[in-house]
Amino acid sequence: MNEPNNNAKVAWVTGASQGIGAAVAWRLAADGWTVAASARSAEKLEALSDEAEGLPGSIIAFELDVTDPEASAQVFADIESRLGPVDLAILNAGTHQPIDGAEFAVEPVRKLVEVNLMGTVHCLAPVIDAFVAREAGRIVVVASLAGYRGLPTSSGYGASKAGLINMCEALRPELAARNVRMFCITPGFVKTPLTDKNPFPMPFLIDAETAAARIVRGVDGRGFEITFPRRFAYIMKCLRILPYALYFALIRRTVPRRD
Ligand SMILES: NC(=O)c1ccc[n+]([C@@H]2O[C@H](COP(=O)([O-])OP(=O)(O)OC[C@H]3O[C@@H](n4cnc5c(N)ncnc54)[C@H](OP(=O)(O)O)[C@@H]3O)[C@@H](O)[C@H]2O)c1
């Protein structure tokens, strides 16, 4: 069992059982942080915690399904009572499911919104409450470049991520006035178990360790958005400012063919 160092700074990473979250937890522990790692898969979290033994910091597992608001608040309270005040909250838990627009249905959209948007909100509320009271802390929300504009097959995922970007933009100046810093992460394609399911080629794909290094470096800076890989982010930023006629003329070529 990995034991916390009482002098280390404390981070909370949600969705830390695999992919970007696991890589961020690892990166932080390698830098000496005590990391509360949460997700639904307790076994994967325990394995990560065991593997991290020997690093300067530690990873401690906290099982959590972020779709449960009471459990999210309780886990945050448990982390603070066991490890001490959280300095850095990285709200990363999320999922993806492509939706064929011609077969649009309620349930897949509900799931994406409940995990990606409301799951983040369930963790954000107790974190903001504590950080504002202490007038300290950094909050990091993992959104996506897919939240910049509507993309084919992304009506549910993109909506959930666009909601997060907008929410972070709204909160950033309000929380800055209380000495709490808000960051928004907008990744392009990162190789993880989530994207391993994608049947299409993913441009500028990077690995989770590179993404984690960018995130951990970024939250030491004063910028709002941490986006990568850079070339893909530039393309998406250009698409974001195109007028609709031009945007739809370009993007309709990416609509999957229906046989
Ligand atoms: N990979 C990319 O290319 C990419 C690009 C842009 C944005 N993102 C975003 O980055 C984040 C991480 O993605 P990833 O690629 O690392 O995905 P991943 O490999 O599927 O990991 C997702 C993590 O979220 C956790 N999670 C999912 N549903 C949860 C729930 N209901 N409650 C608690 N934890 C839950 C999973 O753990 P359990 O299943 O154990 O709960 C897992 O640890 C997501 O928000 C994703 O949208 C990823």
Side-chain angles (χ1 to χ4, degrees), residues 75-144:
V75 162
F76 177 66
D78 291 348
I79 292 168
E80 293 223 309
S81 74
R82 194 168 149 202
L83 307 180
V86 169
D87 302 285
L88 174 65
I90 302 191
L91 308 181
N92 159 82
T95 189
H96 179 263
Q97 184 181 347
I99 296 173
D100 181 334
E103 290 169 11
F104 190 82
V106 172
E107 281 316 312
V109 179
R110 188 196 303 283
K111 184 179 177 210
L112 287 161
V113 170
E114 283 186 353
V115 177
N116 296 354
L117 182 60
M118 290 313 297
T120 302
V121 170
H122 296 155
C123 301
L124 205 44
V127 167
I128 289 178
D129 193 36
F131 285 13
V132 165
R134 296 201 277 269
E135 298 215 335
R138 287 176 284 170
I139 304 172
V140 182
V141 167
V142 180
S144 169

Side-chain angles (χ1 to χ4, degrees), residues 5-100:
N5 164 358
N6 291 336
N7 297 319
K9 286 196 158 207
V10 178
W12 179 24
V13 183
T14 70
S17 63
Q18 62 181 33
I20 297 171
V24 167
W26 187 272
R27 180 69 262 152
L28 288 169
D31 289 348
W33 288 74
T34 296
V35 183
S38 66
R40 292 165 303 176
S41 320
E43 277 179 20
K44 285 191 196 168
L45 291 175
E46 291 298 347
L48 185 71
S49 172
D50 290 346
E51 284 165 30
E53 280 194 43
L55 291 179
S58 55
I59 298 178
I60 321 290
F62 289 84
E63 191 176 338
L64 171 65
D65 183 336
V66 295
T67 61
D68 181 338
E70 285 83 26
S72 301
Q74 188 58 53
V75 162
F76 177 66
D78 291 348
I79 292 168
E80 293 223 309
S81 74
R82 194 168 149 202
L83 307 180
V86 169
D87 302 285
L88 174 65
I90 302 191
L91 308 181
N92 159 82
T95 189
H96 179 263
Q97 184 181 347
I99 296 173
D100 181 334

